[in-house]
Amino acid sequence: MTSASERPLLFLDVDGPLIPFGASHGPPLAPVPGSSAALDRGNPLLDRLDPGTGPRLMALDCRLVWATTWMRDANEAVAPRLGLPKLPLVEWPDTGVHDGPLGLHWKTRPLVEWAGGRPFIWADDEIGAMDHVWVAAQHPGPSLLHRVDPARGLVEADFCAFADWLGALASG
């Protein structure tokens, strides 16, 4: 295994990939120690988190990074429910989010900049064709832009795609 700074990055969105827009994963959970009580009481979507996702993400040989509009709330409310440590997070720029070709997602440029040439996976439910084209032209390292079905969230096929890509990267 390589060091955390050398491992490929896995940029994680919350809404869609981790909080699917389909059914919840069980009854409401009790507030998690160390999480924000206001978020625990005020966001019923947190009940849709699958606690089994955290260990599966941690088992991947990559560095997890939040790439979500949840910002710091991802570490306060989402990470504890998934058994994840506090993760680094991409800070979104205040301006320029609509720069670029039509169809380019506003997250694409900041993620490529944050990656700084390192290999990365981007797991999001809003990735489109222009994002693939732009990343291929602008990012010098390997990348996997992986669209997650927002109705289901991360499922077995997604984890297989991540593991296959990371395995090919490690052996190549």
Side-chain angles (χ1 to χ4, degrees):
M1 184 182 290
T2 57
S3 73
S5 63
E6 296 172 353
R7 291 185 302 172
L9 304 169
L10 173 49
F11 292 118
L12 281 169
D13 184 27
V14 172
D15 293 318
L18 297 177
I19 297 179
F21 300 122
S24 71
H25 284 278
L29 301 173
V32 175
S35 67
S36 168
L39 285 171
D40 287 334
R41 287 190 306 268
N43 194 332
L45 295 178
L46 291 171
D47 295 336
R48 295 177 183 218
L49 289 166
D50 177 356
T53 301
R56 297 199 69 191
L57 289 167
M58 293 295 292
L60 296 168
D61 190 17
C62 59
R63 182 175 179 216
L64 303 175
V65 179
W66 292 123
T68 176
T69 57
W70 280 66
M71 302 301 291
R72 287 174 183 79
D73 290 342
N75 276 325
E76 293 177 21
V78 177
R81 283 179 154 66
L82 297 178
L84 296 175
K86 287 193 176 206
L87 302 176
L89 84 116
V90 177
E91 298 279 347
W92 306 116
D94 292 332
T95 60
V97 296
H98 299 292
D99 293 345
L102 185 62
L104 185 68
H105 194 285
W106 62 268
K107 290 181 182 179
T108 308
R109 284 179 185 246
L111 293 179
V112 168
E113 288 175 19
W114 210 94
R118 292 173 288 185
F120 73 87
I121 298 170
W122 176 20
D124 202 307
D125 60 313
E126 296 182 348
I127 296 169
M130 182 53 72
D131 301 306
H132 288 273
V133 171
W134 196 88
V135 170
Q138 300 297 321
H139 181 64
S143 61
L144 172 63
L145 278 62
H146 185 81
R147 186 181 181 283
V148 176
D149 178 351
R152 298 176 2 171
L154 289 172
V155 295
E156 179 67 24
D158 301 309
F159 285 101
C160 288
F162 301 158
D164 289 350
W165 187 83
L166 291 165
L169 187 66
S171 68

